[in-house]
Each structure stands twice: as structure tokens, then as C-alpha cells.
Amino acid sequence: MDNEKLQKMTEYISITVFERPFKHSAYFNKRLRTTGGRYILNTHNIEINEKQYDAFGENAVIDIIKHELCHYHLHIQGKGYKHRDKDFKVLSSQTGSPRFCSAIESYEDRVRYIYKCSNCGAKYARIRKVNINKMFCGHCKGKLIEKKRV
């Protein structure tokens, strides 16, 4: 799928599901990592994570588009467009927009560092490196040792 097809799909979903036109741009952003997509407040554009399409297909992208269009239409109308707002929750449930998209990588797949407590032996898996001079075991307050880098 390319950006042109994504734009047409977004316009179609906007008209059929929300009964309102989408007058801005929708495109893939390869730099997105942790989110399925995002609605940009300043430009009113929608960016979609291309990895979601590669991993889960067109149906996942449709769900992400619906979610981002909820933000878009509510923001344009001056209503509550944030996740915690009642307007957003109501529109999401009416349109069948999911709250979250599927994770591309699990936490376990992203782990790079494993630490072990020198006192009680508890293990801690972390994505980012931890300063072992400042951090300590959450169970017994013992000293952490870097066990291995993955």
C-alpha cells in the first residue's frame, strides 16, 4: 500500500463511518515506533505507522485510521478530542474504533539488559541501560549487577 491508496482509504472511511469529509493528508511515517498512528493538531494530518501494515495488514490500518479520525473530527468541531474526554470515548464506541493497536514487538523481544540482585537474586529485564550506582533492588534494596546484554 502506498500513500495515495492510504489517502483514498482515509477519505472513504471518513465519509462512510463518520459522515464527514477528510480534507487533509494521510500518509505513512516510517519513523513511528511505539504508536500505530497519530493525528497532528497543527496541520490536521494523519500519520500511520507503516510497520503496522507490514505486520498485521489492511484491517489493522483501517482500525488505526478510524481511531485517528475520531481525534480529527472532534478537534475540527471543537469538542473533546483527547483519550480521556467523554466526547472521544462516545465517538470511539459509536464508530467501533479500537483504543489500542496490536504491538509489533513484545516487551520481551525488546529487552536488551538483564540485571540481577546480588542479595536476593531477583532478575530485572530492561530495554534501556540502568545506572547500577543509583538503582537498587525493589525487593530487598540490594545492589544490582548487570548479568548480560542481549
Side-chain angles (χ1 to χ4, degrees):
M1 180 184 294
D2 59 350
N3 286 333
E4 188 177 320
K5 186 174 179 188
L6 180 68
Q7 177 71 31
K8 289 179 182 176
M9 182 188 296
T10 306
E11 291 170 0
Y12 176 77
I13 292 170
S14 183
I15 289 291
T16 57
V17 176
F18 295 88
E19 298 174 353
R20 294 181 182 277
F22 177 71
K23 298 178 181 176
H24 294 85
S25 298
Y27 50 88
F28 286 112
N29 183 346
K30 294 182 181 197
R31 293 172 303 179
L32 293 179
R33 291 177 166 225
T34 60
T35 183
R38 67 180 173 191
Y39 165 64
I40 303 169
L41 295 172
N42 296 337
T43 61
H44 304 296
N45 293 338
I46 293 176
E47 296 180 341
I48 304 295
N49 187 341
E50 193 170 29
K51 295 172 194 139
Q52 285 286 326
Y53 176 73
D54 296 339
F56 303 110
E58 196 169 300
N59 289 334
V61 172
I62 290 170
D63 286 343
I64 294 167
I65 290 170
K66 281 194 216 173
H67 178 90
E68 300 308 326
L69 282 172
C70 286
H71 291 295
Y72 171 81
H73 289 299
L74 289 170
H75 183 248
I76 295 288
Q77 295 171 16
K79 296 181 179 177
Y81 60 89
K82 297 178 182 174
H83 289 122
R84 66 177 178 261
D85 294 330
K86 185 177 180 182
D87 293 329
F88 182 83
K89 291 177 182 177
V90 169
L91 186 60
S92 291
S93 63
Q94 286 175 350
T95 58
S97 313
R99 170 109 177 161
F100 301 104
C101 62
S102 301
I104 296 170
E105 282 184 302
S106 68
Y107 187 84
E108 291 78 23
D109 293 338
R110 295 170 51 206
V111 165
R112 290 189 186 162
Y113 301 96
I114 297 175
Y115 298 94
K116 184 178 178 182
C117 175
S118 61
N119 193 21
C120 70
K123 291 183 181 176
Y124 299 94
R126 296 290 179 262
I127 295 171
R128 292 185 175 187
K129 191 169 184 162
V130 171
N131 184 348
I132 57 176
N133 296 324
K134 291 183 179 179
M135 302 301 283
F136 51 87
C137 178
H139 300 287
C140 70
K141 308 235 190 274
K143 184 172 174 54
L144 293 180
I145 301 167
E146 187 175 323
K147 182 146 180 164
K148 68 175 182 177
R149 284 185 195 187
V150 180

